[in-house]
């Protein structure tokens, strides 16, 4: 190619089809014959820039349509290249997959092995503490609770001066007797005052009362001056069972369900246990009954009670023992003994038996409870607010009554 004249049009040839192409004012030109985009040679672009600063143009590769033969060659080449390229890619994915899988499996195996070596074969089960619900300790049920109390010290109606004995009739009426004054007061089951009885003095003008009991007909008996006085429910004296000094001086008294009387003859020379029919006729007499058991025992302050089938229990205050006799007055057994432990006694002063055959003994500080064989069962502590108990008795419903040193009458409902 010669030098390019400024008067001749500037041309160059299409590299694809060989057609002449004019030099445009642009870096590329489209061949009007084959349609290829052709890059304008650099020497032509420099001349057509009118001495403007040369600008580095991007290199553009133009691919023009080829002839059918060339197209087949190109397609084969491209297909081969593409096939090789795709094969390499697939091979790469396969290799990577194999390596990755191998790594994963190796890692998994390694981790599994490590876990097998380092972890225990069994895991301790977490001990979950159960929710703790606060349950207050139950309040212990007392052996007895006060159901009624009345009275007080004094000489008026419903008041007491040295009251020591108490009895309950079948209708629940309450009788309370004082020691020296000879007064016996009667109350209804609610403690309402009903009447006052002044017992007749003895031959020596004494009215000292030694004991009192009520039979199942509502008649009540008072031991006064060695005699037994029997009163009707209305407070009228109906009979006297006389004592015959010095052979018979009646002291403590009890009555069985058949209205037979059990009494103690108490003198310096003898301690006798006596059974009488309701009219006062003697049925049997055990002379010197304590001495027959043990001559070394000191005898004083005896009280007695009888159960529903005629067994008699006598408590000996100085000996701290209880003696049991069969319905014929024969000695069977004894229990107690001095001491403060369960089943032991310390100056017992009175005795009563409930309908279940349990034996209640007023001891020092409590009322102790035994079964019919003398086995210790329970204890009812003294109620200090009311004072120490003296005489004790039961009603037919099994409620326990006692009169206290402060002149109080107390009714207890038992909880055992």
């Amino acid at each position: 190619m010669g030098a390019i004249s400024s008067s001749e049009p500037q041309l160059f040839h299409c590299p694809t089809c060989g057609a002449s192409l004019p030099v445009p004012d642009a870096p590329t030109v489209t061949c009007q014959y084959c349609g290829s985009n052709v890059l304008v040679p650099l020497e032509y672009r420099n001349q057509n820039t009118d001495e403007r600063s040369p600008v580095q143009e991007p290199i553009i590769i133009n691919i023009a349509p080829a002839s059918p033969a060339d197209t087949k060659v190109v397609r084969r080449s491209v297909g081969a290249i593409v096939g090789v390229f795709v094969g390499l890619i697939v091979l790469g994915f396969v290799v990577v997959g194999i390596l990755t899988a191998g790594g994963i499996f190796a890692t998994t195996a390694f981790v599994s092995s490590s876990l097998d070596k380092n972890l225990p074969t069994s895991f301790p089960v977490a001990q979950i503490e159960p929710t703790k619900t606060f349950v207050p300790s139950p309040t212990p049920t007392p052996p007895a609770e006060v159901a009624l109390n009345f009275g007080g010290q004094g000489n008026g109606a419903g008041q007491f001066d040295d009251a020591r004995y108490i009895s309950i009739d079948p209708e629940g009426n309450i009788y309370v007797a004082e020691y020296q004054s000879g007064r016996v007061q009667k109350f209804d089951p609610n403690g309402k005052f009903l009447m006052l009885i002044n017992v007749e003095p003895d031959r020596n003008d004494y009215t000292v009362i030694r004991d009192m009991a009520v039979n199942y007909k509502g008649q009540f008996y008072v031991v006064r001056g060695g005699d037994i006085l029997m009163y009707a429910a209305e407070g009228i004296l109906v009979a006297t069972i006389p004592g015959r000094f010095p052979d018979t001086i009646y002291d403590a008294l009890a009555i069985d369900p058949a209205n037979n009387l059990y009494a103690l003859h108490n003198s310096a020379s003898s301690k006798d246990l006596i059974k009488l029919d309701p009219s006062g006729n003697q049925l049997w007499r055990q002379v010197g009954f304590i001495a027959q058991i043990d001559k070394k025992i000191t005898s004083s302050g005896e009280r007695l009670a009888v159960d529903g089938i005629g067994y008699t229990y006598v408590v000996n205050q100085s000996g701290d023992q209880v003696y049991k006799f069969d319905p014929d007055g024969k000695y069977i057994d004894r229990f107690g003994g001095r001491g403060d432990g369960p089943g032991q006694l310390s100056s017992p002063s009175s005795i009563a038996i409930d309908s279940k055959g349990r034996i209640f003994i007023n001891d020092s500080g409590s009322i102790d409870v035994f079964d019919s064989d003398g086995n210790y069962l329970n204890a009812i502590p003294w109620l200090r607010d009311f004072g120490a108990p003296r005489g004790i008795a039961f009603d037919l419903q099994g409620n326990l009554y006692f009169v206290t040193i402060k002149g109080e009458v107390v009714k207890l409902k038992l909880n055992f």
Side-chain angles (χ1 to χ4, degrees):
M1 183 178 297
I4 299 173
S5 173
S6 60
S7 60
E8 296 177 357
Q10 297 180 0
L11 299 174
F12 68 97
H13 299 282
C14 174
T16 301
C17 65
S20 298
L21 299 175
V23 178
D25 293 332
T28 61
V29 64
T30 300
C31 179
Q32 59 182 345
Y33 300 103
C34 67
S36 300
N37 289 325
V38 181
L39 182 65
V40 178
L42 183 60
E43 61 269 20
Y44 294 105
R45 284 186 288 167
N46 291 337
Q47 293 180 4
N48 293 330
T49 56
D50 297 332
E51 298 180 352
R52 289 175 294 184
S53 299
V55 177
Q56 182 68 35
E57 295 292 339
I59 299 175
I60 298 177
I61 299 174
N62 294 296
I63 301 175
S67 62
D70 294 335
T71 301
K72 292 181 180 180
V73 174
V74 171
R75 285 179 179 175
R76 290 192 191 101
S77 300
V78 172
I81 294 172
V82 171
V84 173
F85 182 72
V86 171
L88 291 175
I89 291 175
V90 172
L91 181 61
F93 275 114
V94 171
V95 173
V96 171
I98 293 172
L99 294 176
T100 302
I104 291 174
F105 291 141
T107 303
T108 303
F110 175 75
V111 172
S112 176
S113 175
S114 299
L115 289 175
D116 290 340
K117 292 180 179 179
N118 296 316
L119 291 182
T121 57
S122 62
F123 295 90
V125 179
Q127 299 297 321
I128 301 175
E129 291 290 336
T131 302
K132 295 182 179 180
T133 303
F134 174 73
V135 179
S137 300
T139 303
T141 302
E145 54 186 307
V146 177
L148 174 70
N149 73 284
F150 61 91
Q153 291 181 325
N155 295 317
Q159 295 179 318
F160 308 104
D161 180 17
D162 198 14
R164 298 190 185 186
Y165 315 106
I166 186 169
S167 293
I168 317 298
D169 72 13
E171 296 180 355
N173 296 309
I174 305 164
Y175 296 79
V176 180
E178 297 175 358
Y179 177 65
Q180 287 188 341
S181 67
R183 293 200 315 163
V184 178
Q185 297 185 68
K186 181 179 180 179
F187 303 86
D188 73 5
N190 296 317
K192 179 183 176 181
F193 174 79
L194 297 178
M195 68 177 180
L196 170 67
I197 302 100
N198 288 299
V199 302
E200 288 74 6
D202 65 6
R203 65 185 63 89
N204 297 314
D205 202 30
Y206 292 146
T207 57
V208 173
I209 296 176
R210 296 289 299 169
D211 207 349
M212 180 182 63
V214 179
N215 71 9
Y216 289 84
K217 294 181 179 180
Q219 300 166 323
F220 65 96
Y221 296 77
V222 176
V223 180
R224 183 270 297 136
D227 302 329
I228 299 175
L229 309 179
M230 184 176 70
Y231 290 84
E234 297 77 21
I236 301 172
L237 179 64
V238 296
T240 298
I241 304 173
R244 294 178 175 85
F245 183 83
D247 297 330
T248 303
I249 304 172
Y250 293 112
D251 193 357
L253 184 67
I255 300 176
D256 67 16
N259 294 320
N260 296 309
L261 282 68
Y262 298 75
L264 293 178
H265 158 69
N266 192 352
S267 68
S269 59
S270 181
K271 304 285 184 178
D272 301 345
L273 177 61
I274 305 170
K275 181 178 179 180
L276 307 171
D277 68 15
S279 300
N281 300 309
Q282 182 174 297
L283 299 177
W284 52 254
R285 183 171 186 154
Q286 292 292 341
V287 178
F289 69 100
I290 292 181
Q292 291 179 12
I293 299 169
D294 189 345
K295 293 182 178 180
K296 298 180 180 180
I297 295 176
T298 302
S299 175
S300 66
E302 291 84 11
R303 300 284 96 183
L304 81 163
V306 60
D307 66 15
I309 54 178
Y311 285 86
T312 308
Y313 298 82
V314 180
V315 59
N316 180 358
Q317 186 176 41
S318 61
D320 302 305
Q321 297 185 44
V322 178
Y323 307 100
K324 180 179 179 180
F325 302 87
D326 70 10
D328 295 324
K330 295 181 180 179
Y331 169 73
I332 297 176
D333 201 359
R334 59 180 169 177
F335 60 89
R338 180 175 294 277
D340 297 324
Q344 296 180 314
L345 302 172
S346 178
S347 299
S349 60
S350 55
I351 183 172
I353 301 176
D354 69 2
S355 59
K356 298 179 180 180
R358 297 179 297 188
I359 305 163
F360 291 70
I361 299 174
N362 182 29
D363 197 26
S364 177
S366 64
I367 298 175
D368 297 338
V369 187
F370 301 82
D371 67 14
S372 59
D373 293 324
N375 298 307
Y376 176 80
L377 299 177
N378 211 329
I380 304 172
W382 283 0
L383 305 177
R384 302 293 181 178
D385 291 342
F386 299 111
R390 283 180 165 173
I392 60 177
F394 279 95
D395 62 16
L396 294 181
Q397 289 71 43
N399 299 304
L400 175 63
Y401 297 74
F402 57 86
V403 61
T404 75
I405 195 171
K406 292 183 179 181
E408 292 279 350
V409 173
V410 181
K411 173 184 176 181
L412 294 182
K413 178 182 178 182
L414 303 182
N415 295 323
F416 64 93

